[in-house]
Amino acid sequence: MKMALSVNDLHVSYYGNEAITNVNFTIEKGNLVGIIGPNGAGKSTLLKALLGLIPIDKGNIRICGKQVYETRKKVAYVPQRNDIDWDFPITVVDSVLIGTYPKLGLFKRPKKKEKEWAYECLQQVHMEDFAHRQIGELSGGQQQRVFLARALAQQSDLFFLDEPFVGVDVSSEKTIINVLKELRDEGKTVFVVHHDLSKAHSYFDQLVLINKELIECGEVESVFRPEVMAKAYKDQFSFLNEVGINV
Amino acid sequence: MIDFIEAIGQYEYLQKALLTSIMVGIICGVIGCFIILRGMALMGDAISHAVLPGVAISYMIGINFFFGAVLTGVLTAIGIGFVSQNSRIKHDTSIGILFTAAFALGIILITIMKSSTDLYHILFGNVLAVKPSDMWLTLVIGIIVLLTVYLFYKELLVTSFDPTMAQAYGLSTKMIHYALMTLLTMVTVASLQTVGIVLVVAMLITPAATAYLLTDRLWIMIFLSSAVGVISSVIGLYFSFTYNLASGATIVLIATLLFTIAFFFSPKYGLVWRWIKVKRKRSALAD
């Protein structure tokens, strides 16, 4: 097994306000990993740091043993749905085609080969019937599937998804998690920022639990223990203590 | 109308005016699409005003106004970015502060030069007075703009649609932003003669917005937007010539008329068709 991602002594702040401090973990290839933690724990910040979108104050991130900027084209990213302008004049298949841009490089245009590949990726998420719709005409779950198809089109080794199950219907959620599991079985590494703890157990192989700092990282069973979870969520659950339930 | 066509055959100044207007219609239409899709309409207005001090300085030291205009336009764009990124001032506030400052400076510089007729033409355009050198300048700018958009179409598309993904795969969204600002400044300079500083923003936004209501594909939007720009320019020039009106005003009003038609009658997004669809649906349900 080879390392997919190793994070060493990571510190990130916004204008000097600490967002995450001293985060260390490593993930091996071929894992489906959930990044979980309470609201404001720095999940999205961690994701942005891993993608090289924000500067880091200290520490080291290695993707497949290399620096982030060296491996940008091996990484696919699915943004949160509300980060996208859904009125943009673009069709479903053309937005998937964007996934082929990183490998095309400057000046080259997507040709027939790329277009067929985009269509195949749409088929994998069962969205081929909507290929020529404007993206805003889709439901939330369908939009998320299209963006997953775009990530597939990138033919990456690592996938990062930011809250892909928010506002998504049950059948889309099923399609998405199945595609992610297939990717994992092909030896890809998939990271999902996720906040719904009830599903975390059945979806992921490994969990990275953070709350400003790393609480625990490892197999789902080793993270999903009461004493570990309580550490991350103690502030959220303080009301339970008040009514007499001891967490 | 026939008089106008005959006059075009007859007078060279009118031919130059027509060619210049067509080119301006095309490049404003193309750049305008990216401006409105990135939510930068106000930025378009700002940059167009910010070229004024550059134009004044160029006249003072006797160089082509293109260089001064691009310089102050781009400097203002950088200044706007700098203020909004390095303070709690929001982007639109930063735009408002810096472009009015540049514009005010420009007014003072031009007043010092004591040439009020020039100011009038710079502000409101006078396409019928286009000099050959202006026409060639517009042509060169047009070629640069169209070539850049053609070559970097992919990058412009992805940074407009999903800048985070663009950044994640290694594109410098900042560099592309400032490159677009430079193109915007050049387009503004080219438009000075036809529509003038005050109304350039209309040529950038109105044709693009019209096209936006008519299609769901970016490349079609770009072509439609250019077409609206060209039609407005030519018809506007006709009215300007025939009734001796300021060309900027006539061109912009024609563009607005085309926008109004699209607003009500666009097949997919027009108000009238939407209304008819709702009516039909409701009466079908009532049966």
Side-chain angles (χ1 to χ4, degrees):
Chain A
M1 276 291 206
K2 282 184 75 185
M3 281 315 159
L5 174 72
S6 75
V7 176
N8 205 338
D9 194 22
L10 181 69
H11 293 252
V12 182
S13 64
Y14 289 105
Y15 305 109
N17 298 321
E18 292 289 352
I20 46 178
T21 54
N22 193 25
V23 170
N24 294 282
F25 64 91
T26 53
I27 299 288
E28 287 174 345
K29 282 182 183 168
N31 273 305
L32 180 46
V33 185
I35 298 176
I36 58 172
N39 287 330
K43 301 189 290 288
S44 290
T45 307
L46 176 63
L47 190 66
K48 281 184 189 150
L50 297 179
L51 289 163
L53 298 175
I54 49 173
I56 60 176
D57 294 340
K58 191 185 167 193
N60 219 319
I61 299 167
R62 287 271 190 282
I63 291 175
C64 306
K66 288 183 178 158
Q67 302 273 15
V68 173
Y69 67 86
E70 293 174 298
T71 54
R72 284 184 186 282
K73 283 171 191 172
K74 289 186 177 167
V75 171
Y77 168 62
V78 179
Q80 276 190 37
R81 225 157 41 78
N82 51 15
D83 290 345
I84 296 296
D85 170 14
W86 296 103
D87 284 328
F88 199 90
I90 194 166
T91 58
V92 166
V93 66
D94 284 343
S95 60
V96 176
L97 200 56
I98 289 179
T100 66
Y101 285 8
K103 286 222 162 67
L104 277 173
L106 282 178
F107 305 126
K108 274 193 202 141
R109 270 153 208 277
K111 301 253 164 51
K112 203 176 165 206
K113 194 182 103 195
E114 281 79 20
K115 284 174 188 163
E116 282 169 0
W117 171 237
Y119 200 77
E120 269 175 51
C121 294
L122 267 182
Q123 283 172 329
Q124 286 186 51
V125 297
H126 315 305
M127 283 296 294
E128 65 276 16
D129 294 342
F130 298 86
H132 300 292
R133 297 274 190 93
Q134 194 268 338
I135 48 163
E137 294 167 29
L138 308 179
S139 74
Q142 291 170 330
Q143 289 172 341
Q144 200 70 56
R145 273 147 70 189
V146 170
F147 272 67
L148 179 59
R150 185 182 77 176
L152 294 175
Q154 287 182 253
Q155 297 177 290
S156 305
D157 298 329
L158 269 76
F159 292 79
F160 291 92
L161 294 86
D162 199 351
E163 298 278 10
F165 303 120
V166 170
V168 161
D169 58 285
V170 179
S171 94
S172 287
E173 183 159 343
K174 226 176 241 169
T175 307
I176 292 169
I177 196 69
N178 285 339
V179 170
L180 296 181
K181 284 180 173 165
E182 275 167 34
L183 285 171
R184 184 244 348 246
D185 296 341
E186 288 166 22
K188 317 275 193 187
T189 317
V190 182
F191 294 86
V192 179
V193 169
H194 191 62
H195 74 275
D196 180 7
L197 292 176
S198 66
K199 303 269 179 62
H201 207 268
S202 53
Y203 282 178
F204 305 115
D205 309 322
Q206 304 220 322
L207 290 176
V208 176
L209 176 63
I210 61 165
N211 188 8
K212 304 282 181 194
E213 52 188 10
L214 184 76
I215 307 291
E216 188 74 58
C217 168
E219 300 294 319
V220 173
E221 291 74 25
S222 68
V223 177
F224 242 65
R225 283 179 299 149
E227 63 272 25
V228 175
M229 298 304 285
K231 244 197 262 175
Y233 287 88
K234 56 179 183 286
D235 296 337
Q236 261 77 8
F237 292 139
S238 58
F239 72 92
L240 289 177
N241 286 324
E242 286 163 23
V243 295
I245 301 168
N246 226 336
V247 185
Chain B
M1 193 51 127
I2 292 161
D3 288 350
F4 180 60
I5 294 165
E6 269 178 14
I8 288 171
Q10 230 165 7
Y11 302 114
E12 216 190 308
Y13 80 91
L14 204 54
Q15 293 165 8
K16 283 198 208 90
L18 187 70
L19 278 175
T20 309
S21 324
I22 289 172
M23 287 189 286
V24 167
I26 293 172
I27 55 177
C28 280
V30 172
I31 290 298
C33 287
F34 294 104
I35 299 297
I36 71 159
L37 289 174
R38 288 165 167 253
M40 297 196 327
L42 190 57
M43 196 70 177
D45 200 23
I47 301 300
S48 59
H49 284 74
V51 301
L52 189 62
V55 172
I57 293 167
S58 305
Y59 277 130
M60 279 176 175
I61 59 176
I63 55 170
N64 191 307
F65 66 90
F66 172 74
F67 300 104
V70 170
L71 183 75
T72 54
V74 172
L75 277 182
T76 309
I78 292 171
I80 288 167
F82 184 81
V83 169
S84 65
Q85 278 159 25
N86 293 293
S87 71
R88 64 187 299 213
I89 302 287
K90 290 198 173 65
H91 198 63
D92 57 340
T93 310
S94 166
I95 289 174
I97 294 168
L98 281 154
F99 98 79
T100 47
F103 194 62
L105 179 67
I107 290 173
I108 288 178
L109 289 177
I110 286 198
T111 317
I112 292 170
M113 284 163 52
K114 292 198 180 72
S115 123
S116 56
T117 48
D118 271 336
L119 181 63
Y120 186 81
H121 286 160
I122 291 167
L123 292 184
F124 299 108
N126 182 11
V127 70
L128 298 176
V130 168
K131 289 184 293 222
S133 63
D134 298 335
M135 191 180 76
W136 293 116
L137 178 70
T138 306
L139 185 68
V140 171
I141 290 175
I143 290 168
I144 293 173
V145 168
L146 295 181
L147 205 62
T148 312
V149 171
Y150 177 77
L151 288 176
F152 297 99
Y153 178 77
K154 272 195 348 272
E155 287 69 28
L156 284 167
L157 168 61
V158 65
T159 51
S160 305
F161 177 53
D162 188 351
T164 317
M165 178 205 172
Q167 233 179 323
Y169 85 75
L171 284 183
S172 168
T173 46
K174 225 178 214 172
M175 208 174 81
I176 290 167
H177 171 80
Y178 286 116
L180 192 63
M181 288 301 103
T182 311
L183 291 181
L184 177 61
T185 316
M186 290 166 68
V187 168
T188 306
V189 173
S191 316
L192 282 186
Q193 286 284 338
T194 47
V195 287
I197 281 179
V198 178
L199 293 175
V200 169
V201 68
M203 281 308 281
L204 285 166
I205 292 167
T206 312
T210 310
Y212 182 63
L213 291 176
L214 296 173
T215 178
D216 284 329
R217 280 157 206 257
L218 178 59
W219 65 272
I220 299 179
M221 179 178 162
I222 291 174
F223 278 97
L224 283 176
S225 173
S226 307
V228 172
V230 169
I231 293 168
S232 318
S233 298
V234 174
I235 299 179
L237 183 63
Y238 162 75
F239 282 110
S240 172
F241 173 78
T242 312
Y243 300 104
N244 194 23
L245 298 164
S247 56
T250 53
I251 290 172
V252 168
L253 281 183
I254 299 296
T256 312
L257 180 71
L258 293 174
F259 172 78
T260 312
I261 294 170
F263 182 79
F264 286 107
F265 301 106
S266 156
K268 193 170 169 189
Y269 298 109
L271 208 58
V272 171
W273 297 126
R274 279 189 172 179
W275 182 73
I276 289 174
K277 262 188 244 164
V278 171
K279 275 270 172 197
R280 267 195 205 141
K281 180 79 188 166
R282 285 189 184 157
S283 65
L285 286 173
D287 288 341

